């Protein structure tokens, strides 16, 4: 598996031993009353503790939540060179769900509400210049063309903004090209895509006449992915009723790639982004042959491409971030 600046996102880091006495005490003592006697001996070895199943689950939950907040805090501090406030996790993010998501290849990430550009306007409010900000961790920026498109109003100025919400992100890179039949490993969406293709709801045949592999995420047009039935099917597969299925936006793909996933720019296929280009196209990018994390281009709405796939994410609205405390 490609290297990861914070370790493998699918594994639970081992930087803290959940059986360590001090950690167990700190978890179990949250909200507890003061001990009756200061002379009580809690022991010095983990074996001195006999935790109930409920307490063991509480310790594990606190450890996982602590790991997520610590990872996000460190990464965002390195990127922005300042402390970034991180809101509570979404209430759907129970220990059980987090572990289930990780088995499917997903990880929770928080991106703060930040504009990634400086925009200059004339006296009439017309954009005259758009320049990326110089955050220390932003080593690989989108092509200058991306910022020119904002200036020329081909894409919205909001295309350069991070929205400030938790996202459940499919973290594996797109697979390398294999004549259009490339697949994500053990793709949980394959059965759904097969059914959608069998019902002719999404594209089965390329403009060159090639029949796509039924379970592949490649070759779908923008219009395919925007169909209500397709979005509902993918949203149902995510099993997150309080979040909404989405594609990454181009700026999110780039920032998350810089923060956690440089390997996203190391494969020679691209992916669709959520951003619209004018009214007829959608932004895509990521292919290593053209710049990896910096690569961005516009694709027609009606035409699928054997080199362009998609990853799924779920966005949690800010008003749902209320369950767990940092």
């Amino acid at each position: 598996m490609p290297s990861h600046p914070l370790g493998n996102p699918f594994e639970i880091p081992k930087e803290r031993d959940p059986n360590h006495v001090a950690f167990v005490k700190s978890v179990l003592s949250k909200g507890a009353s003061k001990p009756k006697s200061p002379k009580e001996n809690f022991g010095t070895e983990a074996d001195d503790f006999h935790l109930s199943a409920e307490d063991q689950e509480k310790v594990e939950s606190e450890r996982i939540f602590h790991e997520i907040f610590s990872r996000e805090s460190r990464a965002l501090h390195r990127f922005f060179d300042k402390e970034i406030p991180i809101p509570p996790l979404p209430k759907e993010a129970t220990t059980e769900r987090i572990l289930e998501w990780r088995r499917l290849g997903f990880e929770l990430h928080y991106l703060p509400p930040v504009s990634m550009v400086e925009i200059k306007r004339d006296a009439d409010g017309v954009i005259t210049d758009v320049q990326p900000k110089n955050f220390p961790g932003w080593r690989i920026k989108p092509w200058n063309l991306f910022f020119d498109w904002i200036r020329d109003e081909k894409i919205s100025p909001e295309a350069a903004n991070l929205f400030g919400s938790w996202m459940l992100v499919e973290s594996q890179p797109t697979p390398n090209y294999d004549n259009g039949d490339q697949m994500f490993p053990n793709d949980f969406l394959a059965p759904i895509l097969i059914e959608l293709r069998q019902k002719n709801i999404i594209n089965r045949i390329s403009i060159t006449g090639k029949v796509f592999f039924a379970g592949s995420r490649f070759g779908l047009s923008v219009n395919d992915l925007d169909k209500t039935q397709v979005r509902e099917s993918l949203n149902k597969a995510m099993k997150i009723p309080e979040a909404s299925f989405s594609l990454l936006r181009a700026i999110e793909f780039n920032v998350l790639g810089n923060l956690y996933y440089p390997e996203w720019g190391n494969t020679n296929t691209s992916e669709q982004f959520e951003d619209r280009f004018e009214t007829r196209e959608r932004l895509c990018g990521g292919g290593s042959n053209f710049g990896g994390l910096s690569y961005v281009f516009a694709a027609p709405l009606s035409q699928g491409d054997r080199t362009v796939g998609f990853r799924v994410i779920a966005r949690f609205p800010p008003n749902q971030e209320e369950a767990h405390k940092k």
Side-chain angles (χ1 to χ4, degrees):
M1 177 170 289
S3 62
H4 189 292
L6 297 175
N8 185 342
F10 304 103
E11 293 180 357
I12 299 174
K14 299 179 180 179
E15 59 187 43
R16 185 189 291 274
D17 181 359
N19 292 319
H20 191 280
V21 173
F23 179 58
V24 173
K25 287 181 184 177
S26 70
V27 173
L28 298 184
S29 64
K30 285 187 177 181
S33 60
K34 186 176 180 181
K36 293 180 180 180
S37 171
K39 295 182 180 181
E40 275 185 318
N41 179 14
F42 286 92
T44 57
E45 299 294 334
D47 290 342
D48 293 337
F49 289 90
H50 300 284
L51 302 180
S52 67
E54 181 180 355
D55 284 342
Q56 288 176 354
E57 182 178 353
K58 185 177 180 182
V59 170
E60 178 66 0
S61 296
E62 288 288 336
R63 186 182 73 82
I64 290 175
F65 300 152
H66 170 80
E67 170 242 318
I68 292 172
F69 277 108
S70 295
R71 179 196 62 209
E72 300 299 293
S73 179
R74 290 194 307 267
L76 292 173
H77 187 278
R78 282 198 299 266
F79 189 94
F80 293 105
D81 195 27
K82 65 178 182 179
E83 293 293 333
I84 300 295
I86 301 176
L89 286 170
K91 65 181 180 181
E92 287 284 321
T94 63
T95 305
E96 182 180 4
R97 295 305 305 277
I98 290 170
L99 295 177
E100 179 183 354
W101 292 333
R102 286 177 172 177
R103 284 191 292 271
L104 291 174
F106 288 84
E107 189 56 72
L108 281 165
H109 290 299
Y110 175 75
L111 293 179
V114 174
S115 174
M116 302 298 289
V117 296
E118 296 285 355
I119 297 178
K120 294 182 180 180
R121 300 176 184 268
D122 63 18
D124 297 321
V126 177
I127 297 175
T128 59
D129 188 46
V130 178
Q131 294 295 326
K133 293 180 179 179
N134 291 318
F135 297 118
W138 203 12
R139 296 183 177 88
I140 303 175
K141 297 179 174 67
W143 278 0
N144 287 335
L145 188 62
F146 176 77
F147 306 107
D148 292 343
W149 285 338
I150 295 175
R151 180 199 64 203
D152 298 338
E153 299 184 355
K154 294 182 181 296
I155 58 177
S156 168
E158 290 192 353
N161 293 349
L162 305 179
F163 289 157
S165 63
W166 283 98
M167 298 184 294
L168 187 65
V169 179
E170 194 169 27
S171 56
Q172 60 188 325
T174 57
N176 277 306
Y177 182 69
D178 182 20
N179 200 34
D181 292 336
Q182 58 273 3
M183 293 278 293
F184 282 77
N186 303 312
D187 192 353
F188 77 105
L189 289 182
I192 296 170
L193 295 172
I194 289 172
E195 182 179 358
L196 290 171
R197 281 194 170 103
Q198 287 174 341
K199 294 180 178 179
N200 291 316
I201 295 170
I202 60 176
N203 193 25
R204 296 180 62 246
I205 302 175
S206 74
I207 58 174
T208 62
K210 174 181 171 57
V211 177
F212 292 117
F213 184 74
S216 175
R217 299 193 193 186
F218 291 79
L220 279 77
S221 69
V222 174
N223 286 339
D224 282 334
L225 277 179
D226 281 350
K227 291 177 180 177
T228 300
Q229 189 170 350
V230 174
R231 293 252 167 176
E232 288 178 349
S233 295
L234 295 176
N235 206 43
K236 185 177 180 180
M238 299 285 287
K239 299 179 181 178
I240 310 172
E242 297 191 22
S244 58
F245 158 80
S246 180
L247 306 176
L248 279 175
R249 298 160 57 242
I251 196 67
E252 294 166 343
F253 171 86
N254 179 271
V255 170
L256 287 168
N258 276 271
L259 279 166
Y260 306 105
Y261 305 112
E263 62 270 21
W264 283 359
N266 293 342
T267 52
N268 60 6
T269 55
S270 291
E271 61 185 82
Q272 291 191 39
F273 300 135
E274 195 70 36
D275 314 77
R276 282 302 179 92
F277 181 88
E278 295 185 318
T279 59
R280 305 182 305 278
E281 300 176 279
R282 171 178 282 156
L283 296 187
C284 304
S288 59
N289 292 343
F290 302 97
L293 294 180
S294 64
Y295 182 40
V296 60
F297 66 97
L301 297 180
S302 59
Q303 180 177 319
D305 190 314
R306 289 184 295 168
T307 68
V308 180
F310 67 95
R311 79 177 63 244
V312 292
I313 71 165
R315 299 182 188 279
F316 294 93
N319 62 3
Q320 296 295 331
E321 297 159 4
E322 59 187 17
H324 303 303
K325 294 183 179 179
K326 184 175 176 181

